[in-house]
């Protein structure tokens, strides 16, 4: 367990995981601590980068994005990765980007409305970024689960 987190921090995070919209006063009541303490702890966790942000998680399929892929990207030169990542950030359908080892330099998640939309993202947007030599995609068929690490 990381020394940065104590029992209060862990319990506050667990309450937020149940419902990120939960009022600080409700967390305080549930944990039998002061509202001020909850507020201070959450601010500190955000400042330390332990909690990155509190925002809604969108179900892409419910808003018409029925297709998703995990796509490995091979670069001509790995030192171009910062420039290429900046260009990938400009494509709103790319929701995640990771540095990886192995055959690829980067691994991204793409969401699309349908197969034609996916084709356009891959061939008209990503493949036109100078410095990308190859992409290799795996189509996602559904998420079995997604979660934070257990505290």
């Amino acid at each position: 367990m990381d020394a940065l987190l104590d029992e209060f921090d862990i319990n506050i995070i667990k309450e937020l995981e149940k419902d990120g919209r939960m009022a600080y006063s409700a967390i305080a009541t549930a944990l039998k601590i002061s509202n001020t303490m909850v507020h201070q702890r959450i601010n500190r966790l955000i400042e330390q980068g332990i909690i990155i942000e509190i925002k809604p998680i969108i179900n892409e399929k419910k808003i018409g994005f029925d297709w998703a892929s995990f796509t490995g990207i091979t670069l001509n030169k790995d030192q171009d990765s910062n420039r290429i990542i900046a260009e990938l950030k400009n494509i709103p359908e790319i929701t995640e980007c990771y540095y990886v080892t192995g055959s690829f330099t980067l691994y991204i998640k793409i969401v699309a409305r349908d197969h034609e939309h996916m084709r356009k993202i891959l061939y008209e947007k990503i493949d036109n970024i100078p410095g990308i030599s190859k992409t290799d995609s795996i189509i996602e068929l559904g998420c079995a689960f997604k979660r934070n690490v257990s505290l």
Side-chain angles (χ1 to χ4, degrees):
M1 188 68 54
D2 195 321
L4 294 174
L5 297 177
D6 65 15
E7 184 180 339
F8 292 111
D9 295 329
I10 291 168
N11 289 331
I12 290 168
I13 291 169
K14 285 180 178 180
E15 290 297 317
L16 285 172
E17 284 184 318
K18 292 178 194 171
D19 181 359
R21 300 172 300 166
M22 183 179 279
Y24 291 175
S25 58
I27 295 171
T29 300
L31 300 178
K32 297 177 179 41
I33 58 177
S34 75
N35 190 26
T36 302
M37 182 178 182
V38 172
H39 195 272
Q40 289 172 343
R41 293 292 183 118
I42 290 174
N43 285 341
R44 183 178 50 80
L45 291 167
I46 291 170
E47 286 170 12
Q48 291 177 335
I50 294 169
I51 294 177
I52 297 169
E53 56 192 329
I54 300 172
K55 63 181 183 178
I57 299 171
I58 297 171
N59 181 340
E60 290 109 353
K61 294 194 185 314
K62 294 277 188 183
I63 59 170
F65 288 83
D66 290 332
W67 277 61
S69 76
F70 296 99
T71 300
I73 298 177
T74 305
L75 306 183
N76 292 329
K77 297 178 187 171
D78 285 351
Q79 60 263 35
D80 288 342
S81 63
N82 288 338
R83 178 188 53 79
I84 291 168
I85 289 167
E87 293 195 47
L88 292 171
K89 280 183 182 179
N90 291 326
I91 302 171
E93 296 91 348
I94 298 175
T95 60
E96 299 175 48
C97 181
Y98 299 92
Y99 296 103
V100 294
T101 62
S103 303
F104 307 111
T105 305
L106 302 171
Y107 212 68
I108 60 174
K109 182 174 181 188
I110 305 169
V111 295
R113 291 183 297 280
D114 53 38
H115 72 278
E116 180 61 18
H117 186 205
M118 181 67 73
R119 187 195 65 73
K120 285 182 178 181
I121 296 163
L122 287 166
Y123 296 162
E124 296 175 17
K125 293 182 179 182
I126 295 171
D127 283 352
N128 284 329
I129 297 173
I132 292 180
S133 67
K134 184 179 100 164
T135 60
D136 189 3
S137 295
I138 301 168
I139 299 300
E140 178 236 312
L141 299 176
C143 180
F145 69 88
K146 187 175 181 177
R147 62 180 174 205
N148 287 326
V149 66
S150 294
L151 297 177

